[in-house]
């Protein structure tokens, strides 16, 4: 059958479709086949497809793994670092090329090799221990040890270990990398060694620095200086040393904060020194001065002013030259300042002493004339006449003036000191005993006589005068009573002793302190306390020479005297006398000391205080007076009736009566009776008690033996002068050679001697005297020490040679050398007391 | 574009079997190919034989995926079998068909 064209076309189309469908099926691009009644899903190749996919995946992964391995090996072999892998036992299972070459490892022997096979014997134990730890902990770590490389040398190898785990966390071993750190290690060792050396050097230098700093601190400490350092203006780095704080009396922690420091300093500086401080400081800070040095007063923590010296230098300056940082040292110069003041005082005292000594010398010469002529004049005038009384007043005034000049001489250390070795404790015991009975009852006296040995070489009379002066002053300083303490102790005066400020040699001294609990003194008074004529007492009560003569006596005895006092806190005098060897005289007071006395006289003491009376009686008996004692007026009258009494000494205040009544009663019985009053009360007040009581006949308690002797002598000589006048008449025909270049003085004395019946020849020089001595052959020579050609000592020696047996009497306006005055049979200080003078002659005739 | 063109479009009927793999591929490929033809010049019909195979029977479709491409005036009808991965003939048809529109 022949097909038509459309049929052919249709069949062709169907065939094409079928082919296309088969192709699609073959290609597996068909999901479903549609039947007449249902749709059938086509899945014939699904399983095959899955298998194919799995196979493909496996092939892909294998390829990837091969690639990864190839990449890893390429990387591992390409790196110079040794890379290796161990199994969980620690055996090597992989090494890279570098590792194999470094340690000469072969692939076939890896399984039997561990790190331990290469370890340095010295590191083995430690390494094995570490290796075990690493495999126990299974953590990343770093190990360093010496390992043997291919050429047999040991090198320092640093290995970094990373643990390996499977997907199910099973430990597989370690992967690691190792590098040669030998150079680094050697460099580290070299560095450590270098560091060690540097540290040693640093330690040494630090030690040196520390030592030098300590030396510097010690040196600064030794100098007594305190250091300060601060910026300008003061900042938090302010530094003050411990010593600095100590100087000002503070502990370092008590010093102010830096913010308050400047104000604190200004508040503590003496108001009078502030301007100087600020001016100097500002000049220094502004660059006007190179350094800064001031001396100022600073308030110590104790509240007192101390002197400090501050010296600063700039540590840093700004471009304008202004100081921005400074360092300085401060020193306590209080002692130096005090010493300077002491030296000034000593110089002043020395100058005043010389001045007053010179005046006293001339003054004594004049007094010699006044006393000489007034005595003569008095004798020539009618007894009891007004004129004679007036001349006696002149004589008394001259005598008072002589006492003043004597004190001046004492101050200027130009009086005669009859030095002898005494026991100071004994002397003070006696003075204390005397004072106990003569000071007011409200003044308690204590003695702590601890010095041993207690021997000093002094004039006992003068030293007694010194202590009596102090006791009297102490009593006046305690108007309402108090304590007076005498204390002795042996001290060693070294150069640094606070009281050793005068030029006395260092050595052993007896220190006598006399302390009272009186009103004390302010510093102005204290400064002038030893000045001649300085007195705090109201008009006429004091001469102002008591303490200055004490000063002179102590200084002349080779000692020093100090006074310490503050208002309201009492006063302490300290007297240092050099310890001497030798034995004290038994009767140390009177054996060598000549007091003026009139022999053969009897004295009645009227005093109700038995101790005071007994003491005075003993003193007078030692002066060879006959002494009677009475406690009341009636007793006195009784004794007076029964005995011949030449002098009565009566206390002003007596129980029931008073001294004036005693005077009236007894002088009524015997008008020529010599009479003295005694008082323990204020002198001025006592003088106002009665017109009969005068300064000349009033003994003020306490009195020294010398004062007592002098008053007794004066009172007796006043009354019995006329009777004594005949004594020298026996000397008629005796010859006196009088040598003095002072014409007026010589004339006065010559006149007196001639008046007494002597033949007097005068010479003005030594040469003239020697010549006249041969021609005149005198029994006595009276010579001044200072002559125009030769001195009195030389003249005395020459005269003794040419005129054996001649008595030579020296006289001078002031004290001469104690030893040299031994050249004379007797030595007098002008004005010569006529009575004493007479004694010398009467003894020899 | 002429007035006639607004009325005549290229019509694509794709017979698929749900979300079976080749059907999904064919759908995706058809949309890719049609992206180059303005929307007003073509119309796509997706016929899921799982839902209704009567239309497939009417059109004489025996497998899925099958694409019938024609003009709206039923001229130049073309049938493509499989998942349309080999798209050369379809692209050719589209070019030719569009020229005729």
């Amino acid at each position: 059958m022949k097909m038509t064209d459309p049929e052919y076309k249709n069949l062709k189309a169907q065939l094409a479709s079928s082919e296309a469908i088969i192709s699609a099926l073959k290609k597996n691009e068909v999901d479903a086949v549609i039947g007449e009644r249902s749709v059938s899903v086509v899945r014939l190749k699904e399983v095959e497809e899955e298998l194919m996919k799995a196979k493909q995946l496996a092939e892909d992964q294998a390829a990837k793994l091969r690639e990864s391995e190839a990449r890893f090996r390429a990387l591992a072999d390409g790196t110079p670092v040794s890379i290796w892998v161990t199994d969980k036992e620690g055996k090597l299972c992989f090494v890279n090329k570098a590792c194999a070459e470094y340690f000469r490892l072969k692939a076939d022997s890896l399984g039997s090799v561990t790190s331990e096979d290469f370890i340095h014997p010295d590191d083995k134990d430690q390494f094995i221990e570490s290796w075990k730890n690493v495999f126990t902990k299974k953590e990343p770590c770093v190990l360093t040890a010496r390992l043997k490389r291919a050429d047999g040398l040991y090198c320092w190898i640093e290995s970094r270990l990373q643990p390996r785990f499977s997907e199910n966390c099973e430990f597989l071993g370690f992967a690691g990398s190792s590098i040669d750190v030998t150079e680094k290690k050697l460099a580290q060792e070299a560095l450590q060694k270098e560091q060690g050396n540097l540290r040693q050097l640093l330690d040494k230098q630090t030690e040196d620095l520390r030592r030098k700093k300590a030396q510097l601190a010690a040196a600064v400490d030794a100098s007594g200086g305190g250091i300060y350092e601060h910026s300008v203006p003061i900042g938090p780095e302010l530094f003050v040393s411990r010593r600095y704080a100590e100087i000002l009396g503070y502990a370092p922690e008590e010093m102010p904060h830096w913010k308050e420091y400047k104000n604190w300093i200004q508040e503590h500086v003496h108001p009078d020194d502030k301007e100087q401080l600020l001016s100097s400081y500002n000049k220094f800070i502004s660059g006007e001065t190179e350094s800064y040095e001031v001396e100022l007063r600073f308030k110590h923590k104790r509240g007192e002013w101390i002197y400090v010296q501050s010296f600063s230098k700039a540590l840093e300056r700004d471009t304008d030259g202004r100081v921005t940082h400074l360092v300085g040292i401060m020193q306590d110069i209080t002692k130096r300042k005090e010493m300077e003041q002491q030296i000034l005082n000593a110089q002043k005292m020395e100058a005043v002493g010389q001045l007053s000594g010179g005046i006293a010398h001339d003054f004594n010469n004049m007094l010699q004339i006044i006393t000489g002529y007034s005595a003569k004049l008095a004798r020539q005038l009618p007894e009891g006449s007004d004129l004679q009384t007036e001349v006696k007043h002149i004589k008394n005034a001259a005598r008072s003036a002589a006492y003043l000049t004597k004190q001046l001489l004492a101050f200027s250390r130009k009086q005669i000191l009859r030095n002898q070795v005494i026991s100071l404790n004994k002397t003070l015991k006696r003075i204390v005993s005397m004072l106990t009975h003569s000071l007011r009852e409200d003044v308690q006296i204590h003695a702590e006589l601890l010095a041993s040995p207690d021997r000093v070489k002094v004039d006992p009379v003068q030293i007694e005068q010194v202590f009596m002066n102090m006791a009297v002053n102490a009593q006046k300083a305690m108007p309402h009573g108090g304590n007076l303490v005498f204390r002795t102790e042996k001290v060693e005066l070294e150069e640094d002793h606070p009281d050793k400020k005068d030029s006395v040699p260092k050595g052993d001294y007896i220190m006598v302190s006399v302390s009272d609990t009186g009103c004390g003194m302010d510093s102005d008074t204290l400064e002038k306390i030893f000045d001649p004529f300085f007195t705090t007492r109201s008009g006429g009560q004091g001469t102002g020479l008591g303490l200055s003569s004490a000063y002179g006596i102590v200084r002349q005895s080779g000692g020093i005297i100090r006074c310490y006092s503050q208002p309201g806190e009492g006063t302490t005098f300290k007297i240092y006398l050099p310890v001497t060897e030798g034995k004290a005289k038994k009767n140390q007071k009177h054996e060598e000391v000549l007091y003026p006395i009139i022999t053969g006289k009897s004295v009645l003491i009227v005093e109700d205080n038995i101790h005071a009376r007994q003491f005075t009686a003993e003193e007078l008996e030692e002066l060879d007076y006959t002494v009677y004692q009475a406690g009341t007026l009636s007793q006195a009258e009784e004794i007076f009736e029964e005995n011949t009494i030449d002098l009565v000494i009566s206390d002003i205040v007596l129980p029931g009566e008073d001294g004036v009544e005693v005077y009236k009663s007894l002088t009524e019985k015997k008008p020529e009776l010599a009479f003295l009053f005694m008082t323990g009360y204020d002198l001025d007040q006592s003088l106002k008690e009665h017109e009969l009581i005068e300064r000349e006949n009033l003994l003020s308690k306490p009195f020294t033996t010398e004062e007592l002797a002098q008053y007794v002598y004066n009172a007796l000589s006043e009354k019995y002068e006329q009777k004594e006048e005949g004594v020298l008449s026996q000397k008629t025909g005796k010859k006196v050679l009088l040598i003095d270049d002072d014409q007026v003085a010589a004339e006065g004395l010559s006149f007196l001697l001639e008046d007494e019946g002597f033949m007097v020849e005068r010479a003005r020089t030594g040469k003239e005297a020697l010549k006249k001595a041969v021609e005149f052959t005198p029994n006595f020579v009276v010579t001044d020490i200072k002559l125009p050609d030769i001195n009195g000592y030389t003249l005395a020696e020459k005269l003794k040679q040419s005129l054996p047996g001649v008595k030579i009497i020296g006289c001078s306006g002031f004290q001469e050398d104690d030893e040299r005055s031994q050249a004379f049979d007797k030595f007098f200080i002008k004005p010569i007391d006529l009575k004493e003078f007479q004694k010398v002659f009467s003894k020899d005739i | 574009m002429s007035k006639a063109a607004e009325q005549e479009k290229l019509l694509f009927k794709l017979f698929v079997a749900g979300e079976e793999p080749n059907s999904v591929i064919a759908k995706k490929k058809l949309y890719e190919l049609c992206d180059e033809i303005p929307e007003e010049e073509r119309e796509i019909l997706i016929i899921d034989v799982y839902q209704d195979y009567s239309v497939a029977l009417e059109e004489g479709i025996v497998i899925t995926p099958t694409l019938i491409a024609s003009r709206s005036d039923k001229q130049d009808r073309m049938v493509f079998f499989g998942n349309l991965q080999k798209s050369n003939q379809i692209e050719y048809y589209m070019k030719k068909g569009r020229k005729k529109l």
Side-chain angles (χ1 to χ4, degrees):
Chain A
M1 163 182 83
K2 193 183 175 183
M3 287 193 321
T4 62
D5 193 49
E7 282 176 345
Y8 176 73
K9 282 184 181 176
N10 190 32
L11 186 61
K12 199 179 174 184
Q14 281 183 359
L15 185 63
S17 291
S18 297
E19 282 175 350
I21 288 167
I22 290 164
S23 173
L25 280 167
K26 281 184 178 173
K27 288 178 188 171
N28 204 27
E29 290 183 3
V30 176
D31 290 327
V33 175
I34 303 163
E36 285 293 326
R37 292 180 182 171
S38 64
V39 176
S40 302
V41 177
V42 180
R43 287 184 183 155
L44 298 173
K45 296 201 173 177
E46 274 182 0
V47 174
E48 187 188 354
E49 207 172 281
E50 284 300 318
L51 283 172
M52 287 293 285
K53 277 182 185 171
K55 189 183 170 189
Q56 188 62 45
L57 189 64
E59 280 173 3
D60 287 352
Q61 282 179 343
K64 278 180 187 170
L65 191 61
R66 278 194 300 277
E67 190 189 337
S68 171
E69 257 189 27
R71 198 161 54 229
F72 168 72
R73 182 160 285 282
L75 275 172
D77 287 344
T79 179
V81 177
S82 295
I83 294 172
W84 44 266
V85 177
T86 73
D87 62 14
K88 61 183 177 185
E89 305 296 330
K91 289 186 170 28
L92 285 171
C93 50
F94 169 80
V95 293
N96 71 346
K97 195 178 167 189
C99 188
E101 284 172 4
Y102 195 88
F103 294 106
R104 195 177 287 165
L105 291 169
K106 288 178 182 170
D108 54 358
S109 64
L110 279 185
S112 60
V113 173
T114 67
S115 323
E116 293 171 31
D117 298 331
F118 303 91
I119 199 76
H120 190 285
D122 292 350
D123 297 347
K124 203 158 194 167
D125 291 346
Q126 193 191 343
F127 183 83
I128 289 169
E129 190 63 32
S130 304
W131 191 249
K132 275 183 188 168
N133 276 338
V134 166
F135 275 79
T136 308
K137 288 183 181 172
K138 303 178 179 68
E139 288 172 355
C141 66
V142 178
L143 292 177
T144 307
R146 278 174 291 181
L147 298 177
K148 188 161 72 180
R149 66 185 191 189
D151 58 6
L153 280 176
Y154 282 97
C155 295
W156 284 100
I157 305 296
E158 183 182 277
S159 302
R160 293 178 181 275
L161 286 76
Q162 195 67 32
R164 296 190 298 122
F165 295 99
S166 67
E167 280 182 0
N168 53 1
C169 300
E170 188 189 350
F171 177 65
L172 300 174
F174 276 96
S177 64
S178 297
I179 53 170
D180 186 339
V181 292
T182 308
E183 283 186 10
K184 183 180 154 190
K185 195 84 180 168
L186 291 174
Q188 261 182 353
E189 282 177 2
L191 189 66
Q192 278 175 354
K193 196 177 171 189
E194 186 67 18
Q195 280 178 339
N197 290 341
L198 281 173
R199 191 171 293 114
Q200 266 189 336
L201 188 67
L202 191 67
D203 286 350
K204 188 176 176 298
Q205 286 181 343
T206 307
E207 184 54 36
D208 285 352
L209 199 64
R210 196 178 293 125
R211 197 169 59 244
K212 280 178 183 164
K213 209 171 170 183
Q215 283 171 346
L216 184 66
V220 173
D221 273 357
S223 73
I227 300 171
Y228 57 89
E229 183 189 336
H230 60 76
S231 58
V232 181
I234 296 169
E237 72 282 12
L238 165 73
F239 165 78
V240 296
S241 71
R242 172 176 286 277
R243 175 68 192 141
Y244 180 95
E246 279 173 2
I247 289 173
L248 306 178
Y250 294 88
E253 60 272 15
E254 290 177 316
M255 291 302 285
H257 187 264
W258 66 268
K259 286 181 182 169
E260 297 148 15
Y261 183 76
K262 193 175 176 182
N263 284 339
W264 187 82
I265 289 284
Q266 289 192 2
E267 281 166 12
H268 284 70
V269 166
H270 194 284
D272 294 348
D273 296 342
K274 265 186 195 165
E275 198 180 322
Q276 179 213 359
L277 169 71
L278 287 174
S279 160
S280 303
Y281 183 77
N282 290 335
K283 276 183 185 174
F284 169 57
I285 295 302
S286 66
E288 207 175 313
T289 53
E290 266 302 299
S291 56
Y292 152 74
E293 186 174 1
V294 284
E295 287 182 7
L296 46 85
R297 282 160 290 178
F298 197 92
K299 191 170 242 173
H300 192 274
K301 191 185 176 188
R302 291 191 298 268
E304 68 202 35
W305 294 107
I306 60 165
Y307 279 94
V308 295
Q309 183 185 48
S310 186
F311 181 78
S312 292
K313 288 283 266 186
L315 279 183
E316 288 168 16
R317 290 178 189 270
D318 64 13
T319 48
D320 297 332
R322 290 178 60 82
V323 177
T324 55
H325 204 107
L326 64 85
V327 64
I329 185 165
M330 185 179 73
Q331 284 193 304
D332 183 351
I333 55 164
T334 312
K335 277 188 181 174
R336 196 188 83 196
K337 279 280 178 189
E338 283 174 356
M339 203 168 280
E340 282 173 4
Q341 195 56 46
Q342 289 283 346
I343 290 167
L344 280 177
N345 279 346
Q347 285 171 344
K348 181 189 76 180
M349 297 295 259
E350 198 63 38
V352 176
Q354 284 190 0
L355 188 68
S356 52
I359 291 170
H361 173 255
D362 294 341
F363 201 54
N364 274 343
N365 275 335
M366 293 173 206
L367 287 174
Q368 177 69 69
I369 298 161
I370 296 168
T371 49
Y373 281 105
S374 57
K376 182 176 185 298
L377 202 54
R379 280 199 299 275
Q380 287 174 343
L381 289 168
E383 188 64 29
S385 67
D386 288 348
L387 271 175
Q388 192 195 42
T389 309
E390 285 165 9
V391 171
K392 280 185 179 175
H393 284 315
I394 294 171
K395 196 177 136 194
N396 286 339
R399 191 184 289 148
S400 297
Y403 182 67
L404 279 181
T405 51
K406 188 182 169 193
Q407 284 185 303
L408 263 180
L409 283 171
F411 167 70
S412 59
R413 304 174 232 162
K414 287 187 165 80
Q415 69 164 339
I416 299 171
L417 285 188
R418 293 177 175 88
N419 285 346
Q420 57 182 273
V421 179
I422 63 159
S423 156
L424 205 51
N425 286 347
K426 275 187 186 171
T427 302
L428 281 166
K429 211 177 277 177
R430 209 172 49 74
I431 291 170
V432 168
S433 166
M434 180 166 70
L435 290 170
T436 308
H437 307 307
S438 50
L439 289 183
R440 290 196 319 269
E441 285 178 3
D442 57 3
V443 176
Q444 302 297 313
I445 306 172
H446 309 278
E448 297 166 12
L449 308 175
L450 312 170
S452 177
D454 68 338
R455 305 287 187 269
V456 290
K457 193 172 185 185
V458 292
D459 182 329
V461 176
Q462 298 302 328
I463 210 72
E464 183 180 295
Q465 183 67 51
V466 169
F467 295 129
M468 292 297 277
N469 260 325
M470 286 171 184
V472 171
N473 284 337
Q475 179 173 251
K476 286 189 185 298
M478 299 186 285
H480 307 295
N483 293 321
L484 173 63
V485 181
F486 286 86
R487 181 185 165 86
T488 65
E489 60 179 294
K490 186 185 154 224
V491 293
E492 197 176 343
L493 277 190
E494 293 292 344
E495 287 302 334
D496 59 348
H497 193 285
D499 281 341
K500 190 192 172 311
K501 288 161 188 164
D502 291 319
S503 54
V504 291
K506 61 179 183 179
D508 291 338
Y509 286 75
I510 308 289
M511 192 271 284
V512 186
S513 64
V514 184
S515 307
D516 68 54
T517 53
C519 55
M521 292 172 265
D522 58 29
S523 57
D524 286 346
T525 308
L526 194 60
E527 208 171 288
K528 297 172 187 150
I529 194 83
F530 296 117
D531 288 5
F533 305 112
F534 174 78
T535 179
T536 55
R537 295 177 204 161
S538 53
Q541 282 197 46
T543 60
L545 284 167
L547 282 173
S548 40
S549 61
Y551 174 88
I553 291 163
V554 173
R555 294 290 291 126
Q556 198 177 346
S557 305
I560 45 179
I561 184 167
R562 295 270 166 264
C563 182
Y564 300 91
S565 186
Q566 280 194 356
E569 291 185 14
T571 300
T572 296
F573 284 93
K574 286 185 179 178
I575 294 162
Y576 294 84
L577 293 165
V579 171
T580 189
E581 290 181 356
K583 213 171 174 183
K585 303 276 183 182
K586 271 188 183 172
N587 186 353
Q588 59 182 30
K589 188 177 176 190
H590 299 298
E591 192 171 344
E592 294 293 318
V593 184
L594 288 175
Y595 292 103
I597 55 166
I598 291 180
T599 52
K601 299 296 177 190
S602 55
V603 181
L604 169 62
I605 304 166
V606 188
E607 160 74 89
D608 60 323
N609 183 319
I610 187 168
H611 301 292
R613 188 175 75 215
Q614 185 62 33
F615 183 83
T616 311
E618 285 170 12
E619 294 283 287
L620 289 170
E621 278 166 0
E622 283 201 35
L623 292 168
D624 282 342
Y625 291 106
T626 306
V627 182
Y628 300 93
Q629 298 180 45
T632 59
L633 171 60
S634 56
Q635 281 177 10
E637 285 171 335
E638 201 174 308
I639 293 166
F640 200 80
E641 288 294 328
E642 294 168 2
N643 302 285
T644 306
I645 303 296
D646 300 302
L647 168 69
V648 174
I649 307 173
S650 173
D651 200 6
I652 291 178
V653 181
L654 292 167
E657 310 90 2
D658 63 22
V660 176
E661 286 176 69
V662 176
Y663 175 87
K664 285 178 179 169
S665 168
L666 299 183
T667 51
E668 200 177 298
K669 294 181 172 59
K670 187 178 180 183
E672 73 274 22
L673 179 69
F675 203 98
L676 287 173
F677 293 101
M678 292 188 288
T679 183
Y681 295 92
D682 186 74
L683 196 65
D684 275 6
Q685 191 57 41
S686 301
L687 289 169
K688 289 174 191 163
E689 294 276 325
H690 200 276
E691 57 184 8
L692 285 169
I693 304 168
E694 294 173 348
R695 193 178 286 276
E696 284 72 27
N697 65 7
L698 178 62
L699 259 172
S700 175
K701 292 191 275 190
F703 41 78
T704 65
T705 309
E706 188 189 25
E707 282 173 323
L708 177 65
Q710 193 67 53
Y711 267 80
V712 168
Y713 172 82
N714 289 347
L716 286 170
S717 62
E718 198 68 28
K719 290 288 177 185
Y720 301 100
E721 202 170 27
Q722 296 301 318
K723 290 184 181 178
E724 301 293 328
E725 271 179 7
V727 175
L728 288 182
S729 57
Q730 301 168 42
K731 289 110 191 173
T732 311
K734 296 288 179 186
K735 293 187 278 189
V736 179
L737 176 60
L738 180 61
I739 312 153
D740 198 333
D741 59 332
D742 186 329
Q743 286 298 298
V744 183
E747 198 171 309
L749 193 54
S750 166
F751 186 82
L752 282 173
L753 290 167
E754 283 170 353
D755 200 40
E756 295 297 335
F758 287 99
M759 287 172 65
V760 180
E761 183 65 45
R762 283 165 56 188
R764 294 176 64 181
T765 64
K767 203 173 171 184
E768 188 185 351
L770 286 167
K771 192 180 170 188
K772 284 191 175 174
V774 178
E775 298 162 0
F776 184 59
T777 60
N779 305 94
F780 302 95
V781 173
V782 179
T783 180
D784 192 22
I785 299 297
K786 284 193 174 173
L787 296 171
D789 47 1
I790 54 175
N791 67 48
Y793 308 113
T794 315
L795 178 65
E797 282 164 14
K798 288 188 174 176
L799 285 172
K800 287 236 168 177
Q801 285 171 3
S802 57
L803 296 171
V806 73
K807 299 292 172 192
I808 303 176
I809 298 148
C811 51
S812 174
F814 48 78
Q815 166 70 350
E816 297 295 336
D817 187 293
D818 200 34
E819 297 298 321
R820 298 194 71 185
S821 59
Q822 305 294 326
F824 303 106
D825 294 295
K826 186 72 184 172
F827 187 87
F828 286 99
I829 285 193
K830 294 176 187 174
I832 297 165
D833 187 296
L834 191 60
K835 297 285 177 194
E836 281 297 293
F837 204 59
Q838 283 172 345
K839 266 195 213 171
V840 180
F841 291 96
S842 55
K843 198 176 166 188
D844 281 300
I845 291 168
Chain B
M1 187 176 285
S2 64
K3 197 177 175 184
E6 287 177 2
Q7 292 167 348
E8 291 176 9
K9 293 180 181 178
L10 290 176
L11 181 62
F12 298 98
K13 279 187 192 170
L14 179 63
F15 293 88
V16 297
E19 293 297 318
E20 295 295 338
N22 287 311
S23 297
V24 172
I25 294 167
K27 270 193 270 186
K28 192 182 171 193
K29 188 69 185 179
L30 178 63
Y31 280 114
E32 280 175 13
L33 292 169
C34 286
D35 268 355
E36 293 179 11
I37 304 169
E39 274 189 33
E40 59 273 21
E41 291 183 23
R42 48 113 170 135
E43 187 178 347
I44 297 169
L45 286 174
I46 305 294
I47 298 135
D48 183 359
V49 297
Y50 287 159
Q51 303 293 327
D52 182 6
Y53 67 94
S54 59
V55 182
L57 287 175
E58 283 173 11
E59 292 279 354
I61 301 301
V62 292
I63 60 167
T64 60
T66 298
L67 174 68
I68 298 170
S70 63
R71 293 209 303 268
S72 53
D73 56 1
K74 307 239 188 218
Q75 296 295 312
D76 298 330
R77 186 173 181 267
M78 284 289 288
V79 179
F80 301 95
F81 300 100
N83 59 14
L84 309 182
Q85 287 299 102
K86 298 276 185 176
S87 56
N88 297 350
Q89 285 188 347
I90 303 170
E91 285 168 26
Y92 175 74
Y93 174 81
M94 283 178 173
K95 278 183 187 173
K96 202 173 118 185
R98 285 183 71 195
K99 280 179 184 174
K100 289 178 179 174
L101 286 178

